[in-house]
Amino acid sequence: MRGERAIHRLALVTVGATFLLIVLGALVTSNEAGDSVPDWPTAFGRWLPLDHIVGNVVYEYTHRVVAATVALMTLALNMALWRREERSWVRGLGLMALLAVLGQALLGGARVLFLEHRFALALTHAFMAQFFFGLTVSVAVVTSPRWRRWEARERTAHLPAYLPKLCGAAVLGLFVQLLLGAGFRHRGLGILPHILGAIVVSGAILGVVRAVRRAVRAPEAPSEVRALARQALWAAGLLVAQIALGIAAYFARRASRFDPQPLEPMISLTVAHVAGGAALLAIVLVLTWWTVGLSERARAAVAPRPMSERAF
Amino acid sequence: MKTWRLSALALILALAALSLQCGKKEEVSEAPKEEAAPTTTYQPTGDEGAIVGVVNFTGQPPQRRRIQMEADPVCAQKNPNALSEEVIVNNGKLQNVFVYVKSGLEKYSFPVPAEEVVLDQNGCMYRPHVLGVMANQNVKIITSDPTNHNIHPTPKNNPEWNVNQPPGSDPIIRSFPRPEVMIPVKCNQHPWMRAYIGVLRHPFHAVSKEDGSFEIKGLPPGEYEIEAWHERYGAQVAKVTVGAKETKQIEFTYAAGQAYRPGSLRLMPALVLPCCEMGRASISKR
């Protein structure tokens, strides 16, 4: 039991560190610091170029150091999962996260080294960041004591059959929306796809919120289902904040187009919008996991298997 | 179920919009006309003429902004009162306008000058801010600053590169093989540092000085399209005929409120409101 709690805590810390990494990545982009260190994996030919860390190099180098730390944390999480976790699909999730973070590191390096493919690589790098973040959030959810308790009770709740699908669609929509946002930020796409994406995603998230609130009203709803209401409320609140931040970031960016350098408030607003996108993805993903876990039909797919059935 | 279907439909629409955007041809900065391969290397005859002129600016120019160099104390100490160089207007004359022969020289080729064009990094600014070279002519990049810089041109038609230059290091000598107007150059370590290089297949170009004047000498007699390019106010074209040993005068006039920055307003190309669309400066010719 202590081992299980430790895994969950490690997963939570990894989620936090990954969120910080996304914020740092956004700072790199907003400060136009992406190419301030022309080489990779070393920086100016060294691992610790202390005398070079001035100007925009601060953002890029810190981003690299935190990225390496997150990769090590993901490795540690995987080692813990392989030692202590009985559910093979959870170990699989951890492995996917490890592969994603390694792939992400290579993408970051490619973004520095292959300038002619800058836009495609920056877009993929931005997308993979959120994908990896989603994986760490997923591991944190399914290793949580609450999830384990629910699994152990072998019960299901009466949730609308379409709710897990709608949640899944919202997550998918958020990923597409994050991609469109990255396209706009990296100046490869216009704003219109991102606005359309915002409308679609808002519709999906509001649909989820409405469905959850209906399910919660049922008198026989267990505490886990009632907890969904709080998460749905968070999702709705974050959605409103995110839309407001997006509008503010857009106009701040418009207003700053003749600035001689990236300045406030454009930097803070765009970084906050990126962070808000990641937070919204996290909360909708948590909702998705719980609606899948609680629903009768999807339950069988995530049921635990004994250690003897591990697929190595 | 209805919500689910609606969401799926909307998602498909968003993806369709994305694919349309991806399919849009990227707007390339003003580039010289595609020219047929020249047949003759031009030999000076003594009949060459010249174009002289001035770039005017009407209206209230935007105030030059103070550059915040505090992120690198070396820069802040060396150049404490640095101002933006995007729009420099002195007595109604616009500086840093790249003026060049856009067309009219297609039948000739010109030898690449042996001398290098120098781009200095001094006070964490590029000197000069705008420069012209011939394709394959060497650009010698030097640093006079006791801090690190990276030099990063972002061309559309030439290979992109990004090189670090520590203080006191040897000059970096590079060239651009293909004509391109203009190639932005920036230092990502100091994001206010920006220069523009015009790469041409001939040597006929000039950059407007503090008094807005420019001069293009040694032109073979003929009819030409002369383009003036400014990083914020865009391009203007004038047609001019230069006779034997003739000096023609032309003027370009830019107006405040016609701000336009080629290539960088891709921030919002998909949503251009009719009220806010910014046109290019009109042609002015004398």
Side-chain angles (χ1 to χ4, degrees):
Chain A
M1 195 65 186
R2 275 183 61 195
E4 289 170 356
R5 280 185 185 277
I7 289 174
H8 177 58
R9 282 186 192 135
L10 183 54
L12 283 178
V13 174
T14 310
V15 168
T18 308
F19 186 77
L20 174 68
L21 183 57
I22 288 173
V23 169
L24 285 168
L27 275 169
V28 168
T29 304
S30 290
N31 284 288
E32 299 174 12
D35 294 305
S36 57
V37 181
D39 56 335
W40 186 91
T42 53
F44 308 104
R46 285 178 286 162
W47 294 106
L48 197 61
L50 290 178
D51 52 334
H52 282 73
I53 303 177
V54 289
N56 268 349
V57 178
V58 173
Y59 300 111
E60 171 65 11
Y61 190 72
T62 311
H63 182 57
R64 290 187 186 191
V65 170
V66 175
T69 310
V70 167
L72 288 173
M73 288 169 77
T74 313
L75 181 66
L77 181 63
N78 266 268
M79 288 164 67
L81 284 172
W82 280 90
R83 284 187 62 187
R84 301 268 184 181
E85 179 56 59
E86 293 178 2
R87 297 163 296 178
S88 60
W89 64 272
V90 177
R91 296 195 304 275
L93 266 181
L95 189 60
M96 272 178 73
L98 184 62
L99 293 175
V101 79
L102 294 176
Q104 177 69 341
L106 292 175
L107 275 170
R111 162 65 189 81
V112 171
L113 299 175
F114 302 106
L115 295 168
E116 62 273 28
H117 304 296
R118 181 177 36 213
F119 174 64
L121 288 166
L123 208 62
T124 318
H125 190 58
F127 176 77
M128 188 64 106
Q130 302 286 353
F131 182 68
F132 168 69
F133 181 58
L135 285 171
T136 60
V137 168
S138 301
V139 172
V141 170
V142 299
T143 55
S144 68
R146 198 153 70 95
W147 180 279
R148 287 177 191 277
R149 277 200 303 273
W150 175 256
E151 270 186 348
R153 280 156 65 184
E154 294 186 349
R155 279 177 55 192
T156 57
H158 295 288
L159 287 174
Y162 67 86
L163 187 53
K165 288 179 187 170
L166 186 56
C167 285
V171 169
L172 187 67
L174 271 167
F175 274 124
V176 173
Q177 175 64 348
L178 290 163
L179 197 62
L180 296 174
F184 176 63
R185 258 168 81 66
H186 291 280
R187 304 181 184 194
L189 292 176
I191 190 66
L192 191 58
H194 194 45
I195 291 174
L196 283 177
I199 294 167
V200 174
V201 168
S202 299
I205 292 174
L206 291 176
V208 167
V209 171
R210 201 178 68 164
V212 167
R213 287 180 68 83
R214 275 188 185 172
V216 167
R217 281 197 206 116
E220 73 279 14
S223 61
E224 283 80 2
V225 171
R226 286 200 298 277
L228 292 183
R230 202 168 52 244
Q231 292 162 6
L233 203 64
W234 267 102
L238 270 174
L239 176 67
V240 172
Q242 182 63 352
I243 290 170
L245 273 173
I247 293 168
Y250 175 77
F251 284 104
R253 199 151 176 178
R254 267 197 78 116
S256 71
R257 66 190 185 278
F258 295 127
D259 285 351
Q261 65 200 100
L263 292 171
E264 295 294 353
M266 184 277 289
I267 296 172
S268 295
L269 284 170
T270 49
V271 170
H273 187 52
V274 173
L280 193 56
L281 173 70
I283 194 74
V284 176
L285 200 55
V286 170
L287 261 172
T288 305
W289 273 107
W290 272 105
T291 54
V292 168
L294 294 171
S295 95
E296 291 170 351
R297 284 192 198 171
R299 171 89 186 194
V302 294
R305 285 192 297 163
M307 284 290 274
S308 56
E309 290 181 26
R310 278 189 184 188
F312 285 100
Chain B
M1 204 58 199
K2 197 178 168 187
T3 319
W4 160 247
R5 280 182 189 160
L6 275 174
S7 302
L9 180 68
L11 191 67
I12 289 165
L13 282 174
L15 286 171
L18 171 65
S19 60
L20 280 174
Q21 285 298 312
C22 286
K24 267 175 78 172
K25 187 169 167 54
E26 193 172 311
E27 186 187 330
V28 179
S29 59
E30 289 292 315
K33 278 182 182 173
E34 197 62 41
E35 295 163 354
T39 51
T40 320
T41 301
Y42 183 75
Q43 301 292 338
T45 60
D47 283 342
E48 287 75 21
I51 293 173
V52 296
V54 69
V55 184
N56 301 306
F57 189 89
T58 59
Q60 184 66 34
Q63 200 168 10
R64 293 178 67 185
R65 305 271 301 271
R66 182 185 164 269
I67 293 173
Q68 297 176 14
M69 294 191 178
E70 289 75 15
D72 189 336
V74 173
C75 298
Q77 192 178 12
K78 188 170 179 185
N79 198 355
N81 301 313
L83 296 174
S84 64
E85 297 188 323
E86 191 180 27
V87 182
I88 304 178
V89 177
N90 298 306
N91 300 319
K93 309 297 178 194
L94 186 60
Q95 192 180 338
N96 285 334
V97 178
F98 185 68
V99 184
Y100 70 102
V101 176
K102 186 173 187 181
S103 68
L105 290 165
E106 291 77 7
K107 59 185 173 185
Y108 301 121
S109 67
F110 298 88
V112 177
E115 66 264 27
E116 296 150 339
V117 176
V118 176
L119 178 64
D120 187 14
Q121 297 155 106
N122 196 341
C124 297
M125 302 288 274
Y126 285 115
R127 300 278 178 253
H129 182 64
V130 177
L131 63 154
V133 292
M134 270 187 76
N136 292 313
Q137 184 179 4
N138 282 336
V139 181
K140 182 178 176 182
I141 300 152
I142 60 172
T143 178
S144 309
D145 286 332
T147 189
N148 212 48
H149 288 297
N150 75 298
I151 301 99
H152 184 192
T154 52
K156 296 278 193 294
N157 303 325
N158 281 281
E160 186 173 338
W161 46 270
N162 181 18
V163 179
N164 189 57
Q165 192 170 37
S169 59
D170 291 339
I172 295 166
I173 295 174
R174 296 281 177 124
S175 63
F176 300 95
R178 285 185 285 277
E180 185 171 350
V181 175
M182 301 289 285
I183 298 176
V185 181
K186 70 179 298 184
C187 170
N188 303 93
Q189 296 169 18
H190 308 107
W192 58 84
M193 285 179 70
R194 198 175 282 268
Y196 293 90
I197 302 178
V199 184
L200 304 171
R201 52 166 294 275
H202 57 72
F204 302 108
H205 59 78
V207 178
S208 65
K209 299 175 195 165
E210 278 184 29
D211 59 358
S213 67
F214 62 87
E215 182 178 16
I216 299 173
K217 291 189 288 190
L219 265 176
E223 285 183 18
Y224 299 107
E225 262 190 331
I226 308 298
E227 183 165 273
W229 177 94
H230 186 265
E231 61 186 280
R232 179 145 161 186
Y233 294 103
Q236 297 182 14
V237 178
K239 286 189 177 169
V240 64
T241 302
V242 177
K245 296 182 179 174
E246 187 181 19
T247 296
K248 271 281 169 71
Q249 278 207 323
I250 58 172
E251 284 191 16
F252 293 96
T253 302
Y254 287 93
Q258 290 183 312
Y260 168 81
R261 191 194 292 221
S264 69
L265 281 185
R266 293 180 53 72
L267 298 175
M268 62 286 298
L271 183 67
V272 179
L273 305 174
C275 66
C276 312
E277 193 169 4
M278 289 172 285
R280 293 180 180 208
S282 59
I283 296 170
S284 167
K285 174 190 162 188
R286 264 186 205 178

Coordinates of all heavy atoms in Angstrom, one line a residue, chain A residues 10 31 34 42 64 69 71 82 85 93 108 111 114 117 120 125 152 165 168 176 178 183 187 222 253 259 265 290:
Chain A
L10 N 4.7 10.2 -6.8 CA 5.7 10.4 -7.9 C 5.0 10.9 -9.2 O 5.5 11.8 -9.9 CB 6.5 9.2 -8.1 CG 7.7 9.3 -9.1 CD1 8.6 10.4 -8.7 CD2 8.5 8.0 -9.1
N31 N 9.2 34.6 -25.9 CA 10.4 35.5 -25.9 C 11.2 35.3 -27.1 O 12.3 35.9 -27.2 CB 11.2 35.2 -24.6 CG 10.6 35.8 -23.4 OD1 10.6 37.0 -23.2 ND2 10.0 35.0 -22.5
G34 N 13.8 30.4 -29.0 CA 13.9 29.0 -29.5 C 15.3 28.7 -30.1 O 15.7 27.6 -30.0
T42 N 24.3 19.6 -26.4 CA 25.1 20.5 -25.6 C 24.6 22.0 -25.8 O 23.9 22.2 -26.8 CB 26.6 20.4 -25.9 OG1 26.8 20.6 -27.3 CG2 27.2 19.1 -25.5
R64 N 15.7 23.3 -21.1 CA 16.4 22.1 -21.4 C 16.7 21.3 -20.1 O 16.5 20.1 -20.0 CB 17.7 22.3 -22.1 CG 17.5 22.8 -23.5 CD 18.9 22.9 -24.2 NE 18.7 23.5 -25.6 CZ 19.7 23.5 -26.5 NH1 20.9 22.9 -26.2 NH2 19.5 24.0 -27.7
T69 N 15.2 16.8 -16.3 CA 14.7 16.4 -15.0 C 13.4 15.6 -15.2 O 13.2 14.6 -14.5 CB 14.5 17.7 -14.1 OG1 15.7 18.5 -14.2 CG2 14.2 17.3 -12.7
A71 N 12.4 14.0 -17.7 CA 12.7 12.7 -18.3 C 13.2 11.7 -17.3 O 12.7 10.5 -17.3 CB 13.7 12.9 -19.4
W82 N 7.0 -0.7 -12.8 CA 7.4 -2.1 -13.1 C 7.6 -3.0 -11.9 O 7.5 -4.2 -12.0 CB 8.5 -2.1 -14.1 CG 8.1 -1.8 -15.5 CD1 8.0 -0.6 -16.1 CD2 7.6 -2.7 -16.4 NE1 7.4 -0.7 -17.3 CE2 7.2 -2.0 -17.6 CE3 7.4 -4.1 -16.5 CZ2 6.6 -2.6 -18.7 CZ3 6.9 -4.7 -17.6 CH2 6.5 -4.0 -18.7
E85 N 3.5 -2.2 -9.7 CA 2.1 -2.1 -10.3 C 1.7 -3.4 -10.9 O 2.4 -4.0 -11.7 CB 2.1 -1.0 -11.4 CG 0.8 -0.8 -12.1 CD -0.4 -0.5 -11.2 OE1 -0.3 0.5 -10.5 OE2 -1.3 -1.3 -11.1
L93 N 0.9 2.4 -19.8 CA 0.7 3.9 -19.9 C 2.0 4.6 -19.5 O 2.5 5.6 -20.1 CB -0.4 4.3 -18.9 CG -1.8 4.5 -19.4 CD1 -2.7 5.0 -18.2 CD2 -1.9 5.5 -20.5
G108 N 12.8 18.2 -29.7 CA 13.3 19.5 -29.3 C 14.7 19.7 -29.9 O 15.0 20.8 -30.4
R111 N 14.3 20.4 -33.6 CA 13.8 21.8 -33.8 C 15.0 22.7 -33.8 O 15.0 23.7 -34.5 CB 12.8 22.1 -32.7 CG 12.5 23.5 -32.4 CD 11.8 24.2 -33.6 NE 11.8 25.6 -33.4 CZ 12.7 26.5 -33.7 NH1 13.9 26.0 -34.2 NH2 12.6 27.8 -33.5
F114 N 17.5 21.3 -37.2 CA 17.0 21.3 -38.6 C 16.1 22.6 -38.8 O 14.8 22.5 -38.8 CB 16.2 20.0 -38.9 CG 17.1 18.8 -38.7 CD1 16.9 18.0 -37.6 CD2 18.1 18.5 -39.6 CE1 17.7 16.9 -37.4 CE2 18.9 17.4 -39.4 CZ 18.7 16.6 -38.3
H117 N 13.0 22.9 -41.3 CA 11.7 22.2 -40.9 C 11.2 22.8 -39.6 O 10.5 22.1 -38.9 CB 11.8 20.7 -40.8 CG 12.4 20.1 -42.0 ND1 11.8 20.1 -43.2 CD2 13.6 19.5 -42.2 CE1 12.5 19.5 -44.1 NE2 13.6 19.1 -43.6
A120 N 7.1 22.7 -38.8 CA 6.6 21.3 -38.6 C 7.1 20.8 -37.3 O 6.4 20.1 -36.5 CB 7.0 20.4 -39.8
H125 N 6.5 19.3 -31.7 CA 7.1 19.5 -30.3 C 6.0 20.0 -29.4 O 5.9 19.5 -28.2 CB 8.3 20.4 -30.4 CG 9.1 20.5 -29.1 ND1 9.7 19.4 -28.6 CD2 9.4 21.5 -28.3 CE1 10.4 19.7 -27.5 NE2 10.2 21.0 -27.3
A152 N -11.5 -1.8 -6.5 CA -11.6 -2.9 -5.6 C -13.1 -3.3 -5.2 O -13.4 -4.4 -4.9 CB -10.8 -2.6 -4.3
K165 N -17.8 8.7 -24.2 CA -17.5 9.0 -25.6 C -17.4 10.5 -25.8 O -16.5 11.0 -26.5 CB -18.5 8.5 -26.6 CG -18.5 7.0 -26.7 CD -19.6 6.5 -27.6 CE -19.8 5.0 -27.7 NZ -21.0 4.6 -28.4
G168 N -14.3 11.7 -24.3 CA -13.1 11.3 -25.2 C -13.1 12.3 -26.4 O -12.0 12.7 -26.8
V176 N -6.5 18.6 -30.7 CA -6.6 19.3 -32.0 C -6.4 20.8 -31.8 O -5.7 21.5 -32.5 CB -7.8 19.0 -32.8 CG1 -7.9 19.8 -34.1 CG2 -7.9 17.5 -33.2
L178 N -5.1 22.4 -29.3 CA -3.8 22.8 -28.8 C -2.8 22.8 -30.0 O -1.9 23.7 -30.1 CB -3.3 21.8 -27.8 CG -4.0 21.9 -26.4 CD1 -3.7 20.6 -25.6 CD2 -3.5 23.1 -25.7
G183 N 0.1 26.1 -34.0 CA 0.2 26.6 -35.3 C 0.2 28.1 -35.4 O 0.9 28.7 -36.2
R187 N 3.3 30.9 -36.0 CA 3.2 31.7 -37.2 C 3.0 30.9 -38.5 O 3.4 31.4 -39.6 CB 4.3 32.7 -37.3 CG 4.4 33.6 -36.1 CD 5.4 34.6 -36.1 NE 5.5 35.3 -34.8 CZ 6.1 36.4 -34.6 NH1 6.8 37.0 -35.6 NH2 6.1 37.0 -33.4
P222 N -23.2 7.3 -6.5 CA -22.2 7.1 -5.5 C -21.3 8.3 -5.4 O -21.3 9.2 -6.2 CB -21.4 5.9 -6.0 CG -21.6 5.9 -7.4 CD -22.9 6.4 -7.7
R253 N -1.2 40.5 -28.6 CA -0.2 40.2 -29.6 C -0.3 41.1 -30.8 O 0.6 41.5 -31.4 CB -0.4 38.7 -30.1 CG 0.8 38.2 -30.8 CD 0.9 36.7 -30.6 NE 2.0 36.2 -31.3 CZ 2.4 34.9 -31.3 NH1 1.7 34.0 -30.6 NH2 3.4 34.5 -32.0
D259 N 6.3 46.3 -31.6 CA 7.3 46.4 -30.5 C 8.7 45.9 -31.0 O 8.8 45.0 -31.7 CB 6.9 45.5 -29.3 CG 5.7 46.2 -28.6 OD1 5.3 47.3 -28.9 OD2 5.1 45.5 -27.7
P265 N 2.3 43.2 -21.8 CA 1.7 42.0 -21.2 C 1.6 40.8 -22.2 O 1.0 39.7 -21.8 CB 0.3 42.5 -20.8 CG -0.1 43.5 -21.9 CD 1.2 44.1 -22.3
W290 N -12.5 9.1 -15.3 CA -13.4 8.7 -14.3 C -14.8 8.2 -14.9 O -15.4 7.3 -14.5 CB -13.7 9.8 -13.3 CG -12.7 9.7 -12.2 CD1 -11.6 10.5 -11.9 CD2 -12.7 8.7 -11.1 NE1 -10.9 10.1 -10.8 CE2 -11.6 9.0 -10.3 CE3 -13.5 7.7 -10.8 CZ2 -11.3 8.2 -9.2 CZ3 -13.2 6.9 -9.7 CH2 -12.1 7.2 -8.9

